[in-house]
Amino acid sequence: MKHYNVPADFKIETLDWYCGLMDKYPECRITETYGQITVGNRLGSGRAGDLIPAVDLNNLSTYVNCSKKKGIDFNYTLNATCLSNIEFTKNGLKEIMEFLDTIYEIGIDKITIAMPSLIELTKLSKYKFEIKASTLCQIDNANKAINIKQLGADRIVIDESINRDFSTLKSIISSFGKGAEVIVNVICNKDCIYRMFHQNQVSHDISTENRSTTYYSHRCIMQRIEKVSNLMRMNWIRPEDIKYYTALGISNFKIQGRQAVQNGNIVMTVESYFKESFDGNLMELLDCFSPTNSFKVYIDNKSLNGFIEPFVVDGEFCKSNCERCGYCDEFIDKCIDRDKTNEVFDLAREFYSQYDEYINMIKDNNKKSDNGNKKPYENKLR
């Protein structure tokens, strides 16, 4: 049996669709949906508040109650990577504990957490929450998996950066046991230098009022369009390749996309993975068919058949040294029209360079300085 964890759109009709899919594909189950409140939320999560559905405690309670009646559990995402240290203050600790009381009373007993301090706090609460360690814990080897389990995690989401490192995946599964999960529709760049800092920024973007600049989101896209082959390196798992992961003993799969449920088609995404086949543009599938931007690239999913096999056969195939390898560069020509893709990338580079909020802020500040405005430190020295 394959178990899927999918983002909640908080619509009852979507739950009905899920029930229909599970009847149609009896070897697959939607074990749980996941999400969090955005209205009145001070604790944040791994997604910016303005990108996900507007949900308050009443909406959450109604959804969780209906979902459980249909046999689908709910997992609350309390996976911010930074809470501005409030968890180490008496008032902050009290606020977090009261929030745990509230969601438990609603009927939630599963939580996804990133911060070790919150894992310990939750384990010491008066309730028996099942804790899932977020992918933001960066669990990329067996040692980390064991350590996070000893800390109190009942389940883990493996760092998607090692989705194609089958020897390490096998090691983690054998060490941690049941409860290890992998993300399938990965959209993050391989070995991204911004990731840790991006997550910290997002953790503070709890609502539209707190929204910061587009620095990290734009840098993410700029990395993606630096080279066409970077699209191949994004550690996604195609529906057709699920079988290689179940062969390792992995039975839990996560579809990411809280930011895509409002404008995308999460049901179509789930069904594609249930039937382990998809005809169409891989990039649309990874984004849950949500229109993310105007710079669309087409990668024929079926033309990727066989791409993953060298990684499966040889545990040392990928050395994470793309400049010396060339495998992804060679393979992608079978899947795309390189000229058309480069045209799209050129337009994207022009756009993101022109509308870079952070760089424009710096330039604007420099202009003001050049016009004779004294710097604060200069004023203090005079």
Side-chain angles (χ1 to χ4, degrees):
M1 181 70 70
K2 282 157 281 193
H3 304 274
Y4 280 85
N5 178 20
V6 303
D9 64 1
F10 299 95
K11 298 176 181 178
I12 306 306
E13 57 266 32
T14 303
L15 294 173
D16 292 330
W17 276 105
Y18 289 158
C19 291
L21 288 179
M22 289 188 284
D23 290 338
K24 185 177 180 180
Y25 303 95
E27 293 301 313
C28 298
R29 298 291 302 172
I30 296 176
T31 308
E32 61 191 22
T33 63
Y34 63 92
Q36 79 287 332
I37 63 169
T38 54
V39 179
N41 181 12
R42 279 185 15 96
L43 300 180
S45 76
R47 294 290 180 190
D50 63 333
L51 297 178
I52 51 183
V55 176
D56 60 20
L57 284 171
N58 289 329
N59 302 140
L60 179 65
S61 179
T62 300
Y63 179 83
V64 170
N65 182 56
C66 182
S67 184
K68 288 199 168 189
K69 286 181 179 179
K70 296 178 184 295
I72 301 173
D73 219 324
F74 184 83
N75 191 307
Y76 193 93
T77 48
L78 196 63
N79 62 335
T81 55
C82 180
L83 292 176
S84 300
N85 291 334
I86 68 167
E87 71 275 22
F88 302 120
T89 68
K90 288 183 179 180
N91 289 337
L93 186 65
K94 180 182 178 183
E95 180 181 358
I96 296 169
M97 295 296 281
E98 289 177 348
F99 184 75
L100 292 179
D101 290 345
T102 299
I103 63 173
Y104 195 86
E105 290 172 2
I106 285 176
I108 296 170
D109 58 6
K110 294 178 173 60
I111 311 181
T112 296
I113 304 176
M115 297 169 60
S117 55
L118 285 192
I119 292 178
E120 289 196 48
L121 184 157
T122 304
K123 271 297 179 184
L124 291 172
S125 72
K126 59 186 176 182
Y127 303 112
K128 297 297 182 182
F129 284 103
E130 180 183 277
I131 297 174
K132 181 193 291 187
S134 169
T135 182
L136 305 182
C137 294
Q138 300 180 3
I139 301 168
D140 56 8
N141 60 56
N143 286 338
K144 287 185 180 180
I146 293 170
N147 289 339
I148 205 79
K149 186 174 187 177
Q150 292 173 342
L151 186 65
D154 304 289
R155 298 158 60 193
I156 59 172
V157 183
I158 297 173
D159 192 318
E160 60 264 40
S161 67
I162 61 166
N163 271 3
R164 294 173 189 168
D165 185 346
F166 282 81
S167 60
T168 300
L169 287 174
K170 186 175 182 180
S171 175
I172 292 174
I173 299 303
S174 62
S175 298
F176 187 85
K178 292 183 178 180
E181 182 174 284
V182 294
I183 298 176
V184 291
N185 58 328
V186 177
I187 57 173
C188 289
N189 293 293
K190 179 178 174 62
D191 302 322
C192 179
I193 62 173
Y194 300 105
R195 187 182 181 209
M196 171 173 54
F197 309 101
H198 190 182
Q199 294 302 335
N200 284 341
Q201 178 221 334
V202 167
S203 296
H204 293 282
D205 283 358
I206 300 171
S207 66
T208 54
E209 290 78 13
N210 290 348
R211 183 180 176 276
S212 53
T213 72
T214 56
Y215 176 81
Y216 289 112
S217 58
H218 278 202
R219 294 304 178 280
C220 177
I221 295 174
M222 290 297 284
Q223 282 186 105
R224 185 183 298 187
I225 63 178
E226 183 181 7
K227 291 182 180 179
V228 175
S229 54
N230 283 352
L231 301 175
M232 299 288 282
R233 299 168 180 151
M234 288 164 49
N235 286 304
W236 32 256
I237 300 172
R238 300 163 62 237
E240 292 83 355
D241 296 334
I242 290 291
K243 58 182 180 288
Y244 296 115
Y245 294 85
T246 56
L248 285 179
I250 297 173
S251 59
N252 298 296
F253 301 94
K254 179 176 181 176
I255 294 175
Q256 68 83 29
R258 277 180 287 162
Q259 77 287 351
V261 295
Q262 297 186 93
N263 299 314
N265 191 330
I266 192 66
V267 174
M268 186 186 300
T269 306
V270 171
E271 182 165 19
S272 297
Y273 279 97
F274 271 25
K275 67 181 180 181
E276 297 184 19
S277 180
F278 172 64
D279 287 298
N281 184 2
L282 174 69
M283 301 307 297
E284 291 187 344
L285 176 66
L286 299 183
D287 286 324
C288 300
F289 306 98
S290 174
T292 53
N293 58 61
S294 302
F295 307 107
K296 296 295 183 182
V297 173
Y298 190 96
I299 299 181
D300 178 37
N301 180 63
K302 289 298 184 181
S303 67
L304 290 163
N305 289 342
F307 169 74
I308 196 69
E309 290 177 4
F311 300 88
V312 178
V313 174
D314 180 4
E316 300 296 321
F317 178 72
C318 181
K319 304 289 186 180
S320 291
N321 190 342
C322 298
E323 293 299 320
R324 292 191 176 185
C325 178
Y327 175 69
C328 292
D329 288 282
E330 295 173 5
F331 203 102
I332 198 168
D333 282 326
K334 305 175 184 178
C335 320
I336 65 165
D337 184 317
R338 188 177 282 270
D339 290 336
K340 287 184 178 179
T341 301
N342 281 327
E343 287 179 10
V344 173
F345 279 8
D346 287 341
L347 291 172
R349 292 187 193 103
E350 181 181 355
F351 174 84
Y352 286 108
S353 296
Q354 183 176 357
Y355 294 98
D356 191 313
E357 291 182 9
Y358 188 65
I359 296 299
N360 288 337
M361 285 171 60
I362 294 173
K363 290 180 177 178
D364 185 56
N365 183 72
N366 289 342
K367 286 180 181 178
K368 290 179 179 178
S369 297
D370 291 340
N371 289 334
N373 293 332
K374 291 184 177 68
K375 301 179 180 66
Y377 293 109
E378 289 180 347
N379 291 329
K380 289 180 180 180
L381 292 173
R382 292 178 183 272

